[in-house]
Structure formats: C-alpha cells, structure tokens
Amino acid sequence: MAQETVWWARQRLGKLRGEMHDTMSVNPFLIPILYELHHADGFADLGSLLLAGHLMSGHNTGFGKLMDEKILPRVFGTQKLDAKFRRSTRPYEGSIFSDIDHIVNIDGKLYLVSLKAGRWTIQLGQAQNLNNSFKEIYARYGKDYDGIVVGIIYGRPDEMTDKYDIAVGIQRETSINHDLTTLDNFAVVKVGKDFWTWINGGEPQTQRWIMEGILKGLKDANVREEARELLANYVDAFNRSYQTHVSEDGSVNWYEILEKING
C-alpha cells in the first residue's frame, strides 16, 4: 500500500506543477457570496478558497482510482473489471456488469464487488439502477457467484442513507415505497471497517494496515514542501489574473469580473 500511495501522491503533485489557474472554472455569481460567507480578508483569501474546492474534486476522484485500480487488485488480489477485461471475457462484456468493479475470491467463494466511496456516493436513480442490474445478474448468473457486495470505503453502517438499502432490494419502513426486487441476501452492503475486514478474509486489522501503508507512502513520497510552493504559486497566478479588478483599498469590482468571465 505504501508503494501505491507514493505513486498517487506524486500523481497529484504533478497536477499542481505549473500555473494551472486557467483550468479552474470560476462562477462569477458565486464568488462574491463565498467572499462574504467565508469572511475573506482579501482577494487572496478567495483564491485559496477556490483552489481548495477545485482541487478537492480531483483529489476525491484520484483517491477513488487509487483504491479501485491499485490497492484492491494489487494488495487484495481482486480482478478489476476494466474495459480490456470486459471486452475479452464473457459474460462481463454485458451491460448488466457495468456497475460491477471487481471479482474477488475469498476462501474459495467468488464474489462480485461494486465499489463506492461513502455515504453520499449514490442517489435514488443510481440505487434503482443498481437494484435492476443486480436483479438481472442474480436471475441469469446467480449460480455462478456466492454474492454481490456493495463495498463502501469509509463510514459506518448506521450512517448510510437508504439508497444503499434500495440498491440491494431492502425497503426501509420509513422510506417512500419503491418498486424493488428482493435479492434473498444475494446482494449485501459492507461499510468501512466491515468491508475491509471482509475483503481480507476476516482480518479485523486490515483498515489499520491500509492506514499504515498510506502514512508510510506519504513519508516516502516526500511531496509536502514542493506542494506548499506549488500551491502558493497557483494562488498567486489566480490573483494576478484578477488583480486589475481589485482596487488599492481591497474592494472588488464584481461587475468587471462578471464581464471578464461571462462576456
């Protein structure tokens, strides 16, 4: 896990190299609201705030790929259902497997895994689509697998929304009634520590080992100082691009910025 974390940290650092403020989409109607709500002391503060939001989306996406494409296959021996594998391996070329990310053999039992990040990863429509896909897999290939696991990287079971129950065909009494297919426990949800314990054959310390690997990988990658400098350069570049719209007393001409962005 340390090796995979080194790769990921350096990948993310690469995104910061150079002045990339032009890649950041700025909403001219939102920025004055953020300026007030976050009590910005000056336009530079706004640049830092926008940068953090801009980068977090990429960090979250990148972390998902780290888990999905690196850690699960390399550390836990799963078979990633990437495009190449699906094209060349039946029956995974079928659309019903589009929501399946991995195949894993645990103690001689074969499972399909649909990997999700956390509590808010799926919405109602996605949950219903998962239920439909799982229903068809169960009907056509149920005898070939020991189950489908919706694996959620972080969180606790009691914190999950009802969307995950919907995905596996469970109707909560407190929820609006949905047209769901009960899957007879063929599809289940495993969250946080429970998921990591399960995928490592029942070892309860698995998530701690993952954290140890991440921390070691960050130390080995040694990206902190370069990242600090790149982030400062990034914010400076953003501020320079809007400097003509900020007066000497620090007031901002939001109308000029609106016209700069929207025309």
Side-chain angles (χ1 to χ4, degrees):
M1 277 157 309
Q3 181 179 349
E4 288 75 22
T5 301
V6 170
W7 170 85
W8 183 77
R10 290 176 176 165
Q11 285 283 107
R12 296 309 303 162
L13 187 66
K15 300 294 184 181
L16 298 177
R17 292 196 175 101
E19 293 183 353
M20 300 188 301
H21 65 278
D22 289 338
T23 67
M24 182 162 57
S25 179
V26 178
N27 181 339
F29 302 108
L30 178 60
I31 55 177
I33 298 172
L34 296 176
Y35 192 87
E36 296 299 322
L37 285 178
H38 289 265
H39 202 263
D41 289 330
F43 202 75
D45 281 358
L46 180 62
S48 297
L49 176 65
L50 293 175
L51 172 61
H54 173 63
L55 292 177
M56 277 308 300
S57 176
H59 291 333
N60 283 325
T61 300
F63 184 77
K65 289 184 177 180
L66 170 67
M67 289 293 177
D68 184 38
E69 299 176 8
K70 303 295 181 181
I71 289 182
L72 259 67
R74 293 183 180 181
V75 178
F76 297 102
T78 68
Q79 171 60 61
K80 169 68 178 165
L81 269 66
D82 56 21
K84 180 179 179 181
F85 179 83
R86 291 189 62 197
R87 283 195 303 266
S88 62
T89 311
R90 299 190 65 184
Y92 304 107
E93 78 282 5
S95 61
I96 61 173
F97 288 95
S98 296
D99 293 310
I100 301 300
D101 300 298
H102 296 264
I103 309 168
V104 59
N105 188 315
I106 299 177
D107 295 331
K109 295 183 177 181
L110 198 63
Y111 296 92
L112 302 173
V113 177
S114 182
L115 191 65
K116 304 299 177 186
R119 179 180 184 180
W120 303 110
T121 302
I122 61 172
Q123 303 303 319
L124 177 59
Q126 294 168 312
Q128 292 171 322
N129 289 337
L130 284 173
N131 184 246
N132 289 331
S133 295
F134 295 168
K135 172 184 68 175
E136 192 167 352
I137 291 172
Y138 183 39
R140 295 173 60 182
Y141 304 104
K143 67 181 184 301
D144 299 326
Y145 305 100
D146 290 282
I148 299 173
V149 172
V150 180
I152 305 173
I153 292 172
Y154 66 90
R156 294 175 177 269
D158 59 356
E159 295 175 346
M160 296 299 107
T161 69
D162 66 342
K163 307 307 182 293
Y164 286 110
D165 283 348
I166 290 169
V168 297
I170 297 173
Q171 175 68 54
R172 292 187 185 180
E173 294 181 0
T174 57
S175 301
I176 297 173
N177 189 42
H178 301 286
D179 184 17
L180 303 176
T181 298
T182 301
L183 299 171
D184 299 327
N185 214 39
F186 180 75
V188 298
V189 177
K190 293 186 181 294
V191 185
K193 181 180 180 180
D194 290 344
F195 170 66
W196 294 113
T197 298
W198 169 78
I199 205 165
N200 197 27
E203 172 50 63
Q205 296 300 312
T206 302
Q207 69 170 1
R208 291 185 64 87
W209 295 344
I210 293 172
M211 181 62 79
E212 288 174 8
I214 289 172
L215 295 177
K216 183 180 186 304
L218 289 171
K219 183 178 180 181
D220 293 344
N222 192 28
V223 297
R224 187 178 182 89
E225 284 306 308
E226 184 180 355
R228 179 183 61 80
E229 294 176 6
L230 290 171
L231 288 168
N233 292 339
Y234 196 114
V235 173
D236 287 345
F238 171 81
N239 290 335
R240 287 196 303 271
S241 69
Y242 292 98
Q243 194 59 48
T244 57
H245 310 297
V246 182
S247 65
E248 291 184 1
D249 65 3
S251 59
V252 182
N253 191 322
W254 300 111
Y255 294 102
E256 289 182 2
I257 292 178
L258 172 65
E259 291 169 1
K260 175 183 176 72
I261 295 172
N262 271 17

